[in-house]
Amino acid sequence: MNILPDLVVIGRCGCGKCPTIQLGLNYESDILDGRTLIDYCGLSQKGNIIGVSVLGNEKQPTELEFWSVDGLEEITEIPAIETLKPMNT
Ligand SMILES: [Zn+2]
């Protein structure tokens, strides 16, 4: 079943600064915990590494997370798309 067209943004990270968002199947959905399904990284404008992860459960993606891989920067932006690559190690 393709549920991607039904996903809506139901929350954002509590820090209020990073672009991390929580996803649900409707606006009444509870925010769910998920495990990492997809792991990418890209570069911030300052050149630091931003992790981009899709978390989810067996039914749906639950979160699109942006995080500082090297801890050098508070994440406030989405990395430039052309810098994205799979995080494998
Ligand atoms: Zn945050």
Side-chain angles (χ1 to χ4, degrees), residues 13 15-16 18 20:
C13 179
C15 81
C18 77
T20 298

Side-chain angles (χ1 to χ4, degrees), residues 1-56:
M1 181 172 70
N2 182 4
I3 51 104
L4 288 181
D6 298 325
L7 286 176
V8 292
V9 176
I10 58 170
R12 64 172 297 181
C13 179
C15 81
K17 292 177 182 166
C18 77
T20 298
I21 51 173
Q22 280 89 34
L23 304 167
L25 296 178
N26 61 63
Y27 291 110
E28 284 74 48
S29 301
D30 291 321
I31 290 174
L32 300 170
D33 288 328
R35 62 188 173 82
T36 301
L37 301 178
I38 303 171
D39 232 2
Y40 268 66
C41 61
L43 295 176
S44 72
Q45 290 179 36
K46 291 178 186 161
N48 296 319
I49 304 170
I50 300 177
V52 183
S53 304
V54 176
L55 284 68

Side-chain angles (χ1 to χ4, degrees), residues 33-85:
D33 288 328
R35 62 188 173 82
T36 301
L37 301 178
I38 303 171
D39 232 2
Y40 268 66
C41 61
L43 295 176
S44 72
Q45 290 179 36
K46 291 178 186 161
N48 296 319
I49 304 170
I50 300 177
V52 183
S53 304
V54 176
L55 284 68
N57 57 32
E58 47 294 316
K59 295 193 182 124
Q60 64 167 93
T62 57
E63 183 168 328
L64 174 60
E65 182 181 34
F66 298 87
W67 54 284
S68 177
V69 173
D70 46 27
L72 292 174
E73 186 178 347
E74 198 171 14
I75 302 301
T76 57
E77 61 185 282
I78 291 172
I81 302 300
E82 62 271 17
T83 67
L84 284 176
K85 58 177 196 250

